[in-house]
Amino acid sequence: MGLPDKQPARYGSRRSLSFTAPPNRCLRHRYTELHSGVMATIEFSVKLTENDIARLYDEVRPYWRALIPIAYIAIVLGIGGVFLGPDSWPAAAAIIAGGLCVVLVPRGFKALLVRQFRKNPGALGTVRYEFRDDSVTIVSEAGRSELQWQGFLKRKETPGFLCLHLSPITGYVIPLARITSVQAGQLRELVRRRVPAATGIHSADIPVA
């Protein structure tokens, strides 16, 4: 007695649900990415704020934040030295002046950076990014740009931001907290493959595009 012929499973049949059901859109997207060798496009829209720029400054130059408590202690000691008599006034004045510089200079640079940001119409509105293996498309109120990866000079990464420099002082700032953690991870991985990391004395420069 011969065995009955088995009919091929069809989509939608009860027998084939676990193995041959058509993948959903996300799975199909991932399948295409893995088997074509081309990373899927990473798309998102973000809007920078003044608070973002100020926080970026703190993350890029964390040493200032570490020095500020020491500066306040120095100011207090300098004020105490004033009461020791005229002989101690020059040293006390120098200590107070040094402490004030450490406290005020970072705030001045931060205020200047925020002021530059306010004057840049292209950075104030919502910016849409499309990252692909071979290029980056950026759409803002200033227009649309499509850049090859070779057009980026360097990258700067902090816990909350990714900076893509077009020059030492211009570029794009992406607040990673405004996109999903999956997108942030994919974006970091892609940018690390395509753009060299910032090094040297200009590694702490903050771009304002």
Side-chain angles (χ1 to χ4, degrees), residues 46 48 53 56 129 161-164 171-175 206-208:
V46 293
L48 276 175
I53 298 299
L56 173 61
Y129 295 92
F161 298 89
L162 177 63
C163 304
L164 295 174
Y172 297 94
V173 177
I174 301 172
I206 299 175
V208 179

Side-chain angles (χ1 to χ4, degrees), residues 104-126:
L104 298 179
V105 168
R107 294 185 179 183
F109 280 123
K110 186 187 298 186
L112 179 61
L113 190 66
V114 171
R115 182 179 179 183
Q116 290 177 330
F117 170 74
R118 289 174 184 165
K119 292 183 177 181
N120 190 341
L124 293 175
T126 300

Side-chain angles (χ1 to χ4, degrees), residues 124-140:
L124 293 175
T126 300
V127 180
R128 178 170 181 78
Y129 295 92
E130 297 177 9
F131 289 89
R132 292 177 289 275
D133 262 347
D134 57 348
S135 62
V136 180
T137 300
I138 302 165
V139 181
S140 67

Side-chain angles (χ1 to χ4, degrees), residues 92-193:
I95 293 174
I96 294 173
L100 288 174
C101 286
V102 173
V103 171
L104 298 179
V105 168
R107 294 185 179 183
F109 280 123
K110 186 187 298 186
L112 179 61
L113 190 66
V114 171
R115 182 179 179 183
Q116 290 177 330
F117 170 74
R118 289 174 184 165
K119 292 183 177 181
N120 190 341
L124 293 175
T126 300
V127 180
R128 178 170 181 78
Y129 295 92
E130 297 177 9
F131 289 89
R132 292 177 289 275
D133 262 347
D134 57 348
S135 62
V136 180
T137 300
I138 302 165
V139 181
S140 67
E141 295 180 358
R144 177 187 178 93
S145 301
E146 185 162 350
L147 304 171
Q148 302 299 311
W149 285 109
Q150 295 85 346
F152 294 102
L153 177 65
K154 59 185 178 180
R155 75 176 190 270
K156 177 67 180 179
E157 296 184 67
T158 71
F161 298 89
L162 177 63
C163 304
L164 295 174
H165 288 255
L166 298 173
S167 75
I169 59 174
T170 61
Y172 297 94
V173 177
I174 301 172
L176 299 178
R178 305 291 174 80
I179 62 179
T180 67
S181 58
V182 173
Q183 286 179 319
Q186 292 176 339
L187 182 59
R188 285 189 187 272
E189 179 183 352
L190 176 61
V191 171
R192 287 169 183 169
R193 294 202 311 265

